[in-house]
Amino acid sequence: MPKNTQILITVAAIIILIAGGIGLAYYNGQISSLREELSMAVEQKEELRRETTALEEELNAKEAELEETRENLARAEDEHDDLFARLSEKETELDELHSLLNDREDELASVEGKLESKANDLDSKAAEINSLQDKKAEQETEINELRSRLDEKAAEIEELLSRNDNGPPPGGAGPTAYLTFDDGPSNNTLAILDILAEEDILATFFVIGNNQSDNPDAYRLIVETGHVLGNHTYSHDYDYIYDSPENFMDDLLKLEEFLYAETGVETNIMRFPGGSSSQMAQDVSGYNIIVEDLIPEVIQQGYDYFDWNVTSGDAVSQTPPTEDIVDNVLSGADSVSGDIVVLMHDSQHKTTTVEALPQIIEGLRQRGFQFERLSPGAIDIRHR
């Protein structure tokens, strides 16, 4: 190969190398520049991704807030509907209250009118009471005058008796005998009523709720013939009535209601079974139940209670002879100075009491007694 050609080739190779180096450097610069741009683009992409993520999170938060707002709105609408319904109910209630108030105002006006009428009636009654009090005062004056005259007559009678050749009647000087019959009605009641009618005497029957007379009208007959009914408890069962004050009062008021239904009469006198000093009552209750609890209660209920100061002795289980009953009553009357309350029994087996009754009445009359029924305050015969 010629030397010039080699030189040319060498020169060409050098030029190519130089050109290639220059081009490589250029391309390296371009690549470096591109890499920087790519790096910046990646960073921008990451920045955009972060911004996008942040925006998505913010969007989700906004959507959650929107959903919560929608729920709150729905609840608010429900509450609004509920409040509206309650308001409607309250308006209805208010209307009803207005109507009720109007009715009450009408009633009040009516009551005020009645009160005014009652006030007028009260004034009228007060005037009547004043008039009656005046009449009462006049009658009390008349009664005092009559009592004074009665005392004078009693003195005259006593003087006449003292002049009697036969002397004064034996025994007590009490003018009044109260005949009392306990535990009826029985099969003896009608016979007793017949004897009292024949003798023109009124008596007192302390009855119970067990009518053994075979006559359903026995209670009414006692009242219609002028005698007095006294309350002797419905059951007369010592173990029950004296077990507690509640039992006694329930039994007493049960008979009260029964007698009112039978006769239309309300009793205001009573006698304790066994009397107010009954030892059996204390044995059953364990304390003096009659004195401590029952006497105050019956008095509060409006009753007067009576025991006796003369007994026929017919309370024993076996029927005593007729002559013993007569002697018991008359000797008892002889031992008392003043009025007497005679205890007898109107029960199934007391036939000798019925037989003795005419002789008792005759003997008491011979002793100067008159006969009367018991009433509240008539006589203070109480064992306790």
Side-chain angles (χ1 to χ4, degrees), residues 183-190 207-222 233-235 255 258-259 262-263 346-348:
D183 303 347
S186 74
N187 53 3
N188 293 316
T189 302
L190 296 183
V207 297
I208 61 176
N210 184 16
N211 181 2
Q212 298 184 23
S213 69
D214 297 327
N215 187 331
D217 297 326
Y219 300 100
R220 183 173 56 80
L221 288 174
I222 292 172
T233 75
Y234 189 89
S235 68
L255 181 63
F258 174 76
L259 293 179
E262 290 288 317
T263 67
D346 172 19
S347 50
Q348 292 295 89

Side-chain angles (χ1 to χ4, degrees), residues 16 71 137 140 173 186 279 292 297 312 341 351:
I16 292 171
E71 292 176 356
E140 286 177 346
S186 74
Q279 183 60 46
E292 294 184 26
E297 185 66 26
S312 65
V341 178
T351 54

Side-chain angles (χ1 to χ4, degrees), residues 156-364:
E156 292 177 7
I157 291 172
E158 185 175 354
E159 182 180 357
L160 289 173
L161 288 174
S162 65
R163 295 175 183 176
N164 193 326
D165 293 336
N166 296 325
T176 303
Y178 299 93
L179 303 183
T180 67
F181 301 88
D182 287 9
D183 303 347
S186 74
N187 53 3
N188 293 316
T189 302
L190 296 183
I192 293 172
L193 291 176
D194 288 342
I195 293 170
L196 294 175
E198 290 173 4
E199 299 289 347
D200 193 23
I201 286 176
L202 298 178
T204 304
F205 290 78
F206 288 102
V207 297
I208 61 176
N210 184 16
N211 181 2
Q212 298 184 23
S213 69
D214 297 327
N215 187 331
D217 297 326
Y219 300 100
R220 183 173 56 80
L221 288 174
I222 292 172
V223 173
E224 288 180 349
T225 50
H227 306 287
V228 168
L229 287 176
N231 194 322
H232 201 42
T233 75
Y234 189 89
S235 68
H236 201 266
D237 182 349
Y238 285 63
D239 289 336
Y240 173 73
I241 62 176
Y242 291 132
D243 184 61
S244 69
E246 292 76 16
N247 285 3
F248 185 89
M249 294 309 301
D250 287 345
D251 208 62
L252 187 79
L253 296 178
K254 180 179 180 181
L255 181 63
E256 178 70 32
E257 294 176 0
F258 174 76
L259 293 179
Y260 185 78
E262 290 288 317
T263 67
V265 171
E266 293 180 349
T267 62
N268 54 13
I269 62 173
M270 61 84 61
R271 174 174 284 164
F272 293 100
S276 64
S277 60
S278 170
Q279 183 60 46
M280 188 175 295
Q282 296 185 45
D283 292 342
V284 171
S285 64
Y287 70 105
N288 199 344
I289 185 173
I290 295 178
V291 172
E292 294 184 26
D293 289 328
L294 299 184
I295 289 176
E297 185 66 26
V298 298
I299 291 175
Q300 184 178 2
Q301 290 290 334
Y303 291 94
D304 195 359
Y305 73 96
F306 296 92
D307 289 314
W308 56 89
N309 55 1
V310 173
T311 178
S312 65
D314 65 353
V316 295
S317 57
Q318 292 186 350
T319 303
T322 301
E323 56 271 19
D324 288 354
I325 295 177
V326 174
D327 183 65
N328 288 337
V329 173
L330 297 183
S331 62
D334 290 343
S335 67
V336 175
S337 178
D339 296 346
I340 62 173
V341 178
V342 182
L343 172 65
M344 293 177 281
H345 288 82
D346 172 19
S347 50
Q348 292 295 89
H349 304 294
K350 308 301 180 182
T351 54
T352 55
T353 300
V354 180
E355 295 171 1
L357 184 57
Q359 299 177 58
I360 291 171
I361 294 171
E362 180 182 1
L364 291 176

Side-chain angles (χ1 to χ4, degrees), residues 24-256:
L24 181 60
Y26 175 76
Y27 284 114
N28 284 336
Q30 291 293 321
I31 288 171
S32 177
S33 176
L34 289 172
R35 283 178 178 169
E36 291 177 0
E37 292 179 1
L38 179 60
S39 177
M40 292 175 61
V42 170
E43 290 179 359
Q44 290 177 353
K45 179 181 178 182
E46 290 298 326
E47 181 66 22
L48 289 173
R49 185 175 295 168
R50 287 193 294 271
E51 291 178 359
T52 300
T53 301
L55 289 172
E56 287 177 349
E57 292 176 353
E58 185 177 356
L59 179 61
N60 291 334
K62 295 298 183 182
E63 289 178 348
E65 290 179 4
L66 180 60
E67 184 63 26
E68 183 179 356
T69 300
R70 287 174 177 168
E71 292 176 356
N72 291 336
L73 179 60
R75 282 196 297 271
E77 290 176 348
D78 291 341
E79 291 176 358
H80 174 269
D81 293 340
D82 183 56
L83 288 173
F84 185 78
R86 290 169 62 187
L87 178 62
S88 299
E89 292 177 0
K90 294 300 181 183
E91 289 177 345
T92 302
E93 292 178 4
L94 183 61
D95 292 339
E96 293 175 353
L97 287 174
H98 279 306
S99 176
L100 183 61
L101 179 60
N102 291 334
D103 292 342
R104 291 292 182 264
E105 288 176 346
D106 293 340
E107 291 177 6
L108 179 60
S110 175
V111 169
E112 288 176 346
K114 291 179 180 179
L115 285 176
E116 184 176 356
S117 175
K118 293 295 182 182
N120 294 333
D121 291 343
L122 185 60
D123 292 339
S124 175
K125 293 297 181 183
E128 291 180 10
I129 290 172
N130 291 333
S131 176
L132 290 173
Q133 287 177 338
D134 293 339
K135 291 180 180 179
K136 178 184 176 183
E138 294 175 0
Q139 290 176 353
E140 286 177 346
T141 302
E142 293 177 2
I143 289 171
N144 291 332
E145 293 175 356
L146 289 172
R147 283 177 177 168
S148 176
R149 293 170 59 186
L150 181 61
D151 291 339
E152 294 174 359
K153 292 296 180 183
E156 292 177 7
I157 291 172
E158 185 175 354
E159 182 180 357
L160 289 173
L161 288 174
S162 65
R163 295 175 183 176
N164 193 326
D165 293 336
N166 296 325
T176 303
Y178 299 93
L179 303 183
T180 67
F181 301 88
D182 287 9
D183 303 347
S186 74
N187 53 3
N188 293 316
T189 302
L190 296 183
I192 293 172
L193 291 176
D194 288 342
I195 293 170
L196 294 175
E198 290 173 4
E199 299 289 347
D200 193 23
I201 286 176
L202 298 178
T204 304
F205 290 78
F206 288 102
V207 297
I208 61 176
N210 184 16
N211 181 2
Q212 298 184 23
S213 69
D214 297 327
N215 187 331
D217 297 326
Y219 300 100
R220 183 173 56 80
L221 288 174
I222 292 172
V223 173
E224 288 180 349
T225 50
H227 306 287
V228 168
L229 287 176
N231 194 322
H232 201 42
T233 75
Y234 189 89
S235 68
H236 201 266
D237 182 349
Y238 285 63
D239 289 336
Y240 173 73
I241 62 176
Y242 291 132
D243 184 61
S244 69
E246 292 76 16
N247 285 3
F248 185 89
M249 294 309 301
D250 287 345
D251 208 62
L252 187 79
L253 296 178
K254 180 179 180 181
L255 181 63
E256 178 70 32

